[in-house]
Protein backbone atom coordinates (compact mmCIF):
# COMPACT_ATOMS: atom_id res chain seq x y z
CA UNK A 1 0.00 0.00 0.00
CA UNK A 2 1.31 3.43 -0.94
CA UNK A 3 1.89 6.12 1.68
CA UNK A 4 -1.20 8.09 0.66
CA UNK A 5 -2.65 10.80 2.85
CA UNK A 6 -6.31 11.83 2.75
CA UNK A 7 -6.92 15.56 3.05
CA UNK A 8 -10.44 16.75 3.70
CA UNK A 9 -11.17 20.38 2.92
CA UNK A 10 -14.68 21.37 3.81
CA UNK A 11 -17.19 24.15 3.86
CA UNK A 12 -18.01 25.40 7.33
CA UNK A 13 -20.89 23.33 8.71
CA UNK A 14 -20.71 20.61 6.06
CA UNK A 15 -19.82 17.75 8.46
CA UNK A 16 -16.37 17.34 6.90
CA UNK A 17 -14.89 16.66 10.31
CA UNK A 18 -17.37 13.87 11.09
CA UNK A 19 -16.74 12.37 7.64
CA UNK A 20 -12.97 12.54 8.17
CA UNK A 21 -13.22 10.73 11.50
CA UNK A 22 -15.46 8.04 10.01
CA UNK A 23 -13.05 7.50 7.09
CA UNK A 24 -10.11 7.19 9.50
CA UNK A 25 -11.98 4.69 11.63
CA UNK A 26 -12.91 2.57 8.60
CA UNK A 27 -9.32 2.53 7.37
CA UNK A 28 -7.67 2.20 10.78
CA UNK A 29 -5.80 5.49 10.33
CA UNK A 30 -5.22 8.48 12.60
CA UNK A 31 -7.43 11.50 11.95
CA UNK A 32 -5.80 14.85 12.68
CA UNK A 33 -8.10 17.77 13.29
CA UNK A 34 -8.13 19.66 16.59
CA UNK A 35 -4.80 18.07 17.58
CA UNK A 36 -3.17 20.39 15.05
CA UNK A 37 -4.59 23.39 16.90
CA UNK A 38 -3.37 22.03 20.23
CA UNK A 39 0.13 21.45 18.87
CA UNK A 40 0.32 24.94 17.34
CA UNK A 41 -0.87 26.43 20.63
CA UNK A 42 1.77 24.48 22.56
CA UNK A 43 4.62 25.50 20.26
CA UNK A 44 3.59 29.13 19.82
CA UNK A 45 2.28 30.01 23.26
CA UNK A 46 -0.91 31.40 21.71
CA UNK A 47 -4.28 30.52 23.20
CA UNK A 48 -5.87 27.50 21.43
CA UNK A 49 -9.03 29.45 20.53
CA UNK A 50 -6.91 32.26 19.06
CA UNK A 51 -5.05 29.64 16.98
CA UNK A 52 -8.32 28.11 15.82
CA UNK A 53 -9.57 31.47 14.62
CA UNK A 54 -6.34 32.22 12.77
CA UNK A 55 -5.25 28.86 11.38
CA UNK A 56 -7.84 28.47 8.66
CA UNK A 57 -9.89 31.62 8.53
CA UNK A 58 -8.86 35.21 8.87
CA UNK A 59 -10.09 36.71 12.13
CA UNK A 60 -12.45 39.72 11.93
CA UNK A 61 -9.50 42.12 12.08
CA UNK A 62 -7.38 39.94 9.81
CA UNK A 63 -10.13 39.93 7.24
CA UNK A 64 -10.27 43.72 7.07
CA UNK A 65 -6.50 44.01 7.21
CA UNK A 66 -6.22 41.70 4.23
CA UNK A 67 -8.69 43.85 2.31
CA UNK A 68 -6.85 47.06 3.02
CA UNK A 69 -3.41 45.49 2.64
CA UNK A 70 -2.55 46.69 6.17
CA UNK A 71 -0.61 43.60 7.09
CA UNK A 72 1.08 42.91 3.77
CA UNK A 73 4.48 44.04 4.96
CA UNK A 74 4.56 42.78 8.53
CA UNK A 75 5.00 39.28 9.90
CA UNK A 76 1.74 38.85 11.80
CA UNK A 77 0.73 36.35 14.46
CA UNK A 78 -1.27 34.65 11.74
CA UNK A 79 1.92 34.26 9.71
CA UNK A 80 3.62 32.67 12.74
CA UNK A 81 0.67 30.28 13.04
CA UNK A 82 0.90 29.46 9.30
CA UNK A 83 4.58 28.59 9.60
CA UNK A 84 3.92 26.31 12.58
CA UNK A 85 0.87 24.81 10.88
CA UNK A 86 2.99 23.94 7.84
CA UNK A 87 5.69 22.39 10.02
CA UNK A 88 3.27 20.36 12.18
CA UNK A 89 1.19 19.07 9.26
CA UNK A 90 4.36 18.01 7.45
CA UNK A 91 5.59 16.20 10.57
CA UNK A 92 2.25 14.39 10.95
CA UNK A 93 2.34 13.34 7.28
CA UNK A 94 5.85 11.99 7.71
CA UNK A 95 4.50 9.45 10.22
CA UNK A 96 2.56 7.66 7.45
CA UNK A 97 -0.95 7.38 5.98
CA UNK A 98 -3.55 9.43 7.86
CA UNK A 99 -6.59 11.68 7.43
CA UNK A 100 -6.10 15.42 7.89
CA UNK A 101 -9.17 17.64 8.16
CA UNK A 102 -8.87 21.24 7.01
CA UNK A 103 -5.96 23.58 7.81
CA UNK A 104 -4.95 23.80 4.11
CA UNK A 105 -3.24 20.38 4.40
CA UNK A 106 -4.02 19.72 0.73
CA UNK A 107 -1.95 22.76 -0.24
CA UNK A 108 0.81 22.28 2.36
CA UNK A 109 1.46 18.65 1.34
CA UNK A 110 0.71 18.79 -2.37
CA UNK A 111 4.25 18.53 -3.70
CA UNK A 112 5.58 16.26 -0.96
CA UNK A 113 3.13 13.36 -0.63
CA UNK A 114 0.69 11.26 -2.58
CA UNK A 115 -2.70 12.69 -1.61
CA UNK A 116 -6.37 11.88 -1.98
CA UNK A 117 -7.81 15.39 -1.91
CA UNK A 118 -11.46 15.63 -0.93
CA UNK A 119 -13.76 18.64 -0.68
CA UNK A 120 -16.99 18.36 1.31
CA UNK A 121 -19.80 20.87 0.92
CA UNK A 122 -23.48 21.10 1.83
CA UNK A 123 -26.61 23.17 1.30
CA UNK A 124 -26.83 26.36 3.36
CA UNK A 125 -29.97 25.05 5.06
CA UNK A 126 -28.16 21.97 6.36
CA UNK A 127 -25.10 23.97 7.33
CA UNK A 128 -27.18 26.43 9.32
CA UNK A 129 -28.93 23.59 11.09
CA UNK A 130 -25.58 22.02 11.94
CA UNK A 131 -23.90 25.18 13.26
CA UNK A 132 -26.91 26.08 15.41
CA UNK A 133 -28.08 22.68 16.70
CA UNK A 134 -24.89 20.63 16.68
CA UNK A 135 -21.92 23.02 16.94
CA UNK A 136 -23.88 25.65 18.93
CA UNK A 137 -21.79 28.36 17.27
CA UNK A 138 -24.71 30.59 16.22
CA UNK A 139 -28.27 31.39 17.18
CA UNK A 140 -30.99 30.26 14.74
CA UNK A 141 -32.34 32.90 12.33
CA UNK A 142 -30.58 35.92 10.85
CA UNK A 143 -27.63 35.50 13.17
CA UNK A 144 -26.80 32.04 11.83
CA UNK A 145 -27.04 33.18 8.21
CA UNK A 146 -24.70 36.11 8.86
CA UNK A 147 -22.32 33.85 10.77
CA UNK A 148 -22.24 31.40 7.86
CA UNK A 149 -21.62 34.05 5.21
CA UNK A 150 -18.91 35.73 7.30
CA UNK A 151 -17.19 32.40 7.95
CA UNK A 152 -17.30 31.43 4.26
CA UNK A 153 -15.73 34.77 3.33
CA UNK A 154 -13.02 34.52 5.96
CA UNK A 155 -12.10 30.97 4.94
CA UNK A 156 -11.91 31.96 1.26
CA UNK A 157 -9.82 35.02 2.12
CA UNK A 158 -7.44 32.89 4.16
CA UNK A 159 -6.94 30.61 1.15
CA UNK A 160 -6.33 33.65 -1.03
CA UNK A 161 -3.64 34.95 1.31
CA UNK A 162 -1.75 31.74 2.06
CA UNK A 163 -2.16 29.57 -1.02
CA UNK A 164 -2.35 30.00 -4.78
CA UNK A 165 -5.52 27.89 -4.82
CA UNK A 166 -9.14 28.91 -4.88
CA UNK A 167 -11.11 27.32 -2.04
CA UNK A 168 -13.64 24.83 -3.41
CA UNK A 169 -12.37 24.91 -7.02
CA UNK A 170 -12.61 21.35 -8.35
CA UNK A 171 -9.22 21.60 -10.08
CA UNK A 172 -7.55 21.18 -6.69
CA UNK A 173 -9.46 18.09 -5.52
CA UNK A 174 -9.92 14.46 -6.55
CA UNK A 175 -13.54 14.41 -5.47
CA UNK A 176 -16.06 16.96 -4.21
CA UNK A 177 -19.08 15.55 -2.39
CA UNK A 178 -22.26 17.14 -1.10
CA UNK A 179 -23.01 15.78 2.35
CA UNK A 180 -26.56 17.13 1.93
CA UNK A 181 -27.27 14.79 -0.99
CA UNK A 182 -25.12 11.85 -0.03
CA UNK A 183 -25.16 11.91 3.76
CA UNK A 184 -22.20 11.43 6.09
CA UNK A 185 -22.05 7.62 5.81
CA UNK A 186 -22.13 7.52 2.00
CA UNK A 187 -19.50 10.26 1.75
CA UNK A 188 -17.23 8.33 4.12
CA UNK A 189 -17.86 5.11 2.21
CA UNK A 190 -17.01 6.74 -1.13
CA UNK A 191 -13.79 8.22 0.21
CA UNK A 192 -12.65 4.84 1.56
CA UNK A 193 -13.43 3.27 -1.83
CA UNK A 194 -11.47 5.98 -3.63
CA UNK A 195 -8.59 5.46 -1.19
CA UNK A 196 -8.61 1.71 -1.83
CA UNK A 197 -8.55 2.34 -5.59
CA UNK A 198 -5.74 4.91 -5.33
CA UNK A 199 -3.53 2.87 -3.03
CA UNK A 200 -4.00 -0.34 -5.03
CA UNK A 201 -2.42 1.19 -8.17
CA UNK B 1 -38.11 4.27 -6.38
CA UNK B 2 -38.38 8.00 -7.06
CA UNK B 3 -38.36 9.37 -10.59
CA UNK B 4 -34.80 10.63 -10.31
CA UNK B 5 -32.77 11.66 -13.34
CA UNK B 6 -28.99 11.58 -13.45
CA UNK B 7 -27.38 14.49 -15.26
CA UNK B 8 -23.72 14.27 -16.12
CA UNK B 9 -21.96 17.52 -16.90
CA UNK B 10 -18.38 17.03 -17.90
CA UNK B 11 -15.20 18.70 -18.96
CA UNK B 12 -14.28 18.10 -22.56
CA UNK B 13 -12.18 14.92 -22.76
CA UNK B 14 -12.94 13.75 -19.22
CA UNK B 15 -14.74 10.52 -20.25
CA UNK B 16 -18.07 11.78 -18.89
CA UNK B 17 -19.89 10.18 -21.79
CA UNK B 18 -18.34 6.73 -21.16
CA UNK B 19 -19.14 7.07 -17.46
CA UNK B 20 -22.74 8.05 -18.23
CA UNK B 21 -23.22 5.02 -20.46
CA UNK B 22 -21.72 2.71 -17.85
CA UNK B 23 -24.00 4.14 -15.15
CA UNK B 24 -27.06 3.68 -17.36
CA UNK B 25 -26.08 0.10 -18.12
CA UNK B 26 -25.59 -0.72 -14.42
CA UNK B 27 -28.97 0.77 -13.53
CA UNK B 28 -30.86 -0.50 -16.57
CA UNK B 29 -31.71 3.05 -17.68
CA UNK B 30 -31.59 4.85 -21.02
CA UNK B 31 -28.58 7.11 -21.56
CA UNK B 32 -29.25 10.14 -23.74
CA UNK B 33 -26.30 11.76 -25.37
CA UNK B 34 -25.92 12.01 -29.15
CA UNK B 35 -29.62 11.14 -29.60
CA UNK B 36 -30.38 14.64 -28.39
CA UNK B 37 -28.29 16.08 -31.23
CA UNK B 38 -30.05 13.84 -33.75
CA UNK B 39 -33.49 14.88 -32.51
CA UNK B 40 -32.61 18.59 -32.59
CA UNK B 41 -31.24 18.16 -36.14
CA UNK B 42 -34.43 16.39 -37.23
CA UNK B 43 -36.73 19.02 -35.75
CA UNK B 44 -34.72 22.07 -36.82
CA UNK B 45 -33.42 21.00 -40.20
CA UNK B 46 -29.87 21.97 -39.19
CA UNK B 47 -27.00 19.64 -39.94
CA UNK B 48 -26.20 17.34 -36.97
CA UNK B 49 -22.56 18.51 -36.78
CA UNK B 50 -23.72 22.14 -36.75
CA UNK B 51 -26.11 21.28 -33.90
CA UNK B 52 -23.33 19.52 -32.00
CA UNK B 53 -21.12 22.60 -32.24
CA UNK B 54 -23.90 24.93 -31.09
CA UNK B 55 -25.80 22.93 -28.51
CA UNK B 56 -23.28 23.02 -25.70
CA UNK B 57 -20.40 25.22 -26.76
CA UNK B 58 -20.38 28.44 -28.67
CA UNK B 59 -18.96 28.04 -32.15
CA UNK B 60 -15.85 30.09 -33.02
CA UNK B 61 -18.00 32.95 -34.37
CA UNK B 62 -20.52 32.58 -31.56
CA UNK B 63 -17.75 32.87 -29.02
CA UNK B 64 -16.52 36.20 -30.41
CA UNK B 65 -20.05 37.43 -30.94
CA UNK B 66 -20.80 36.76 -27.29
CA UNK B 67 -17.73 38.72 -26.25
CA UNK B 68 -18.61 41.72 -28.37
CA UNK B 69 -22.32 41.50 -27.62
CA UNK B 70 -23.01 41.28 -31.36
CA UNK B 71 -25.78 38.74 -31.07
CA UNK B 72 -27.40 39.96 -27.88
CA UNK B 73 -30.40 41.42 -29.65
CA UNK B 74 -31.06 38.87 -32.35
CA UNK B 75 -32.60 35.40 -32.18
CA UNK B 76 -29.72 33.32 -33.52
CA UNK B 77 -29.63 29.75 -34.82
CA UNK B 78 -28.02 28.88 -31.51
CA UNK B 79 -31.06 30.28 -29.71
CA UNK B 80 -33.31 28.11 -31.89
CA UNK B 81 -31.18 25.10 -30.98
CA UNK B 82 -31.39 26.04 -27.27
CA UNK B 83 -35.20 26.19 -27.41
CA UNK B 84 -35.37 22.77 -29.10
CA UNK B 85 -32.76 21.34 -26.74
CA UNK B 86 -34.85 22.47 -23.75
CA UNK B 87 -38.00 20.96 -25.25
CA UNK B 88 -36.39 17.63 -26.19
CA UNK B 89 -34.56 17.17 -22.87
CA UNK B 90 -37.78 17.90 -20.98
CA UNK B 91 -39.67 15.36 -23.13
CA UNK B 92 -37.00 12.71 -22.48
CA UNK B 93 -37.14 13.38 -18.73
CA UNK B 94 -40.91 12.99 -18.78
CA UNK B 95 -40.49 9.38 -19.90
CA UNK B 96 -38.93 8.47 -16.51
CA UNK B 97 -35.57 7.87 -14.85
CA UNK B 98 -32.62 8.12 -17.25
CA UNK B 99 -29.06 9.40 -17.61
CA UNK B 100 -28.50 12.57 -19.63
CA UNK B 101 -24.97 13.51 -20.62
CA UNK B 102 -24.19 17.20 -21.09
CA UNK B 103 -26.37 19.69 -23.00
CA UNK B 104 -27.07 21.72 -19.81
CA UNK B 105 -29.65 19.12 -18.74
CA UNK B 106 -28.87 19.87 -15.09
CA UNK B 107 -29.93 23.48 -15.63
CA UNK B 108 -32.87 22.73 -17.94
CA UNK B 109 -34.45 20.23 -15.54
CA UNK B 110 -33.47 21.69 -12.19
CA UNK B 111 -36.84 23.02 -11.10
CA UNK B 112 -38.91 20.27 -12.70
CA UNK B 113 -37.39 16.94 -11.64
CA UNK B 114 -35.53 15.28 -8.82
CA UNK B 115 -31.94 15.16 -10.09
CA UNK B 116 -28.63 13.59 -9.19
CA UNK B 117 -26.27 16.19 -10.64
CA UNK B 118 -22.77 14.96 -11.40
CA UNK B 119 -19.75 16.82 -12.73
CA UNK B 120 -16.85 14.84 -14.22
CA UNK B 121 -13.43 16.38 -14.75
CA UNK B 122 -9.90 15.17 -15.43
CA UNK B 123 -6.29 16.31 -15.62
CA UNK B 124 -5.31 18.13 -18.81
CA UNK B 125 -2.76 15.41 -19.60
CA UNK B 126 -5.44 12.71 -19.60
CA UNK B 127 -7.89 14.88 -21.51
CA UNK B 128 -5.31 15.60 -24.21
CA UNK B 129 -4.54 11.91 -24.51
CA UNK B 130 -8.24 11.12 -24.83
CA UNK B 131 -9.06 13.77 -27.45
CA UNK B 132 -6.06 12.80 -29.58
CA UNK B 133 -5.95 9.01 -29.25
CA UNK B 134 -9.58 8.12 -28.59
CA UNK B 135 -11.79 10.89 -30.01
CA UNK B 136 -9.29 11.79 -32.78
CA UNK B 137 -10.44 15.40 -32.55
CA UNK B 138 -6.97 16.96 -32.36
CA UNK B 139 -3.37 16.25 -33.33
CA UNK B 140 -0.95 15.55 -30.47
CA UNK B 141 1.23 18.45 -29.28
CA UNK B 142 0.48 22.17 -29.36
CA UNK B 143 -2.62 21.66 -31.48
CA UNK B 144 -4.28 19.47 -28.85
CA UNK B 145 -3.50 21.91 -26.04
CA UNK B 146 -4.96 24.82 -28.01
CA UNK B 147 -8.00 22.74 -28.95
CA UNK B 148 -8.59 21.86 -25.30
CA UNK B 149 -8.26 25.44 -24.05
CA UNK B 150 -10.53 26.76 -26.82
CA UNK B 151 -13.15 24.11 -26.13
CA UNK B 152 -13.09 24.79 -22.36
CA UNK B 153 -13.59 28.51 -23.03
CA UNK B 154 -16.44 27.95 -25.48
CA UNK B 155 -18.25 25.57 -23.13
CA UNK B 156 -17.92 28.02 -20.21
CA UNK B 157 -19.13 30.88 -22.42
CA UNK B 158 -22.13 28.85 -23.52
CA UNK B 159 -23.06 28.29 -19.87
CA UNK B 160 -22.66 32.00 -19.22
CA UNK B 161 -25.02 32.88 -22.05
CA UNK B 162 -27.79 30.32 -21.50
CA UNK B 163 -27.77 29.63 -17.76
CA UNK B 164 -27.24 31.53 -14.52
CA UNK B 165 -24.79 28.83 -13.40
CA UNK B 166 -21.01 28.74 -13.54
CA UNK B 167 -19.77 25.63 -15.32
CA UNK B 168 -17.95 23.33 -12.86
CA UNK B 169 -18.91 25.28 -9.73
CA UNK B 170 -19.62 22.70 -7.00
CA UNK B 171 -22.67 24.60 -5.76
CA UNK B 172 -24.60 23.27 -8.76
CA UNK B 173 -23.72 19.58 -8.40
CA UNK B 174 -24.22 16.75 -5.92
CA UNK B 175 -20.84 15.24 -6.65
CA UNK B 176 -17.78 16.21 -8.70
CA UNK B 177 -15.41 13.39 -9.55
CA UNK B 178 -11.99 13.33 -11.19
CA UNK B 179 -11.86 10.49 -13.69
CA UNK B 180 -8.06 10.85 -13.66
CA UNK B 181 -7.84 9.85 -9.98
CA UNK B 182 -10.80 7.51 -9.75
CA UNK B 183 -10.98 5.96 -13.22
CA UNK B 184 -14.10 5.39 -15.30
CA UNK B 185 -15.27 2.27 -13.46
CA UNK B 186 -14.99 3.76 -9.95
CA UNK B 187 -16.74 6.96 -11.05
CA UNK B 188 -19.59 4.92 -12.52
CA UNK B 189 -19.76 2.77 -9.39
CA UNK B 190 -19.92 5.83 -7.11
CA UNK B 191 -22.67 7.43 -9.16
CA UNK B 192 -24.78 4.28 -9.03
CA UNK B 193 -24.26 4.13 -5.25
CA UNK B 194 -25.29 7.77 -4.88
CA UNK B 195 -28.33 7.09 -7.05
CA UNK B 196 -29.32 4.11 -4.89
CA UNK B 197 -28.96 6.26 -1.76
CA UNK B 198 -30.94 9.14 -3.25
CA UNK B 199 -33.80 7.03 -4.63
CA UNK B 200 -34.10 4.98 -1.44
CA UNK B 201 -35.00 8.07 0.65
Amino acid sequence: MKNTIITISRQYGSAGRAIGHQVAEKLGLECYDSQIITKIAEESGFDAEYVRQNSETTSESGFFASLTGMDLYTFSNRDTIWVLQTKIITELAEKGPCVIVGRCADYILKDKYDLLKVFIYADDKDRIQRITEEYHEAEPGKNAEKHLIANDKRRATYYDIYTDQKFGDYHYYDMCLSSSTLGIDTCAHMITEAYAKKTAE
Side-chain angles (χ1 to χ4, degrees), chain A:
Chain A
M1 205 170 80
K2 277 199 293 189
N3 183 5
T4 300
I5 288 158
I6 301 173
T7 61
I8 299 193
S9 302
R10 74 284 182 241
Q11 262 195 323
Y12 177 54
S14 68
R17 191 188 302 151
I19 292 166
H21 282 276
Q22 200 176 117
V23 168
E25 198 176 335
K26 279 171 183 278
L27 294 169
L29 301 177
E30 283 289 332
C31 180
Y32 301 115
D33 172 22
S34 54
Q35 300 98 312
I36 297 167
I37 305 291
T38 313
K39 276 178 186 283
I40 296 172
E42 281 168 8
E43 293 200 24
S44 65
F46 293 131
D47 174 73
E49 181 53 28
Y50 180 81
V51 172
R52 195 181 71 79
Q53 283 180 17
N54 286 279
S55 63
E56 191 166 42
T57 65
T58 52
S59 60
E60 254 344 293
S61 60
F63 176 59
F64 290 112
S66 69
L67 290 180
T68 58
M70 262 172 62
D71 68 355
L72 274 179
Y73 305 106
T74 58
F75 198 79
S76 65
N77 288 349
R78 211 177 51 222
D79 295 334
T80 304
I81 290 169
W82 171 257
V83 171
L84 278 172
Q85 181 169 326
T86 302
K87 172 181 161 283
I88 288 162
I89 285 175
T90 308
E91 284 170 358
L92 292 173
E94 276 168 13
K95 291 185 182 177
C98 60
V99 179
I100 305 180
V101 179
R103 316 289 152 201
C104 305
D106 55 329
Y107 177 77
I108 290 169
L109 301 176
K110 73 184 166 71
D111 298 322
K112 300 171 194 152
Y113 290 91
D114 187 55
L115 304 177
L116 177 68
K117 291 172 286 182
V118 180
F119 180 69
I120 302 291
Y121 55 101
D123 297 345
D124 285 0
K125 187 176 142 282
D126 293 335
R127 297 199 293 143
I128 284 173
Q129 189 174 358
R130 196 166 283 116
I131 66 173
T132 53
E133 296 175 17
E134 201 175 311
Y135 303 173
H136 304 289
E137 291 182 357
E139 295 296 319
K142 285 260 176 199
N143 171 271
E145 277 176 48
K146 273 190 188 172
H147 186 69
L148 197 75
I149 292 167
N151 210 301
D152 284 352
K153 274 190 188 164
R154 292 207 294 269
R155 199 167 281 192
T157 304
Y158 187 86
Y159 255 78
D160 269 353
I161 297 171
Y162 287 102
T163 79
D164 54 9
Q165 296 183 182
K166 190 168 168 285
F167 184 70
D169 182 328
Y170 69 87
H171 290 95
Y172 302 111
Y173 308 101
D174 298 304
M175 55 203 299
C176 309
L177 305 174
S178 163
S179 62
S180 290
T181 304
L182 304 168
I184 291 174
D185 294 352
T186 304
C187 284
H189 173 65
M190 284 182 177
I191 297 165
T192 55
E193 284 203 330
Y195 187 77
K197 154 90 181 147
K198 197 166 161 62
T199 52
E201 280 162 3

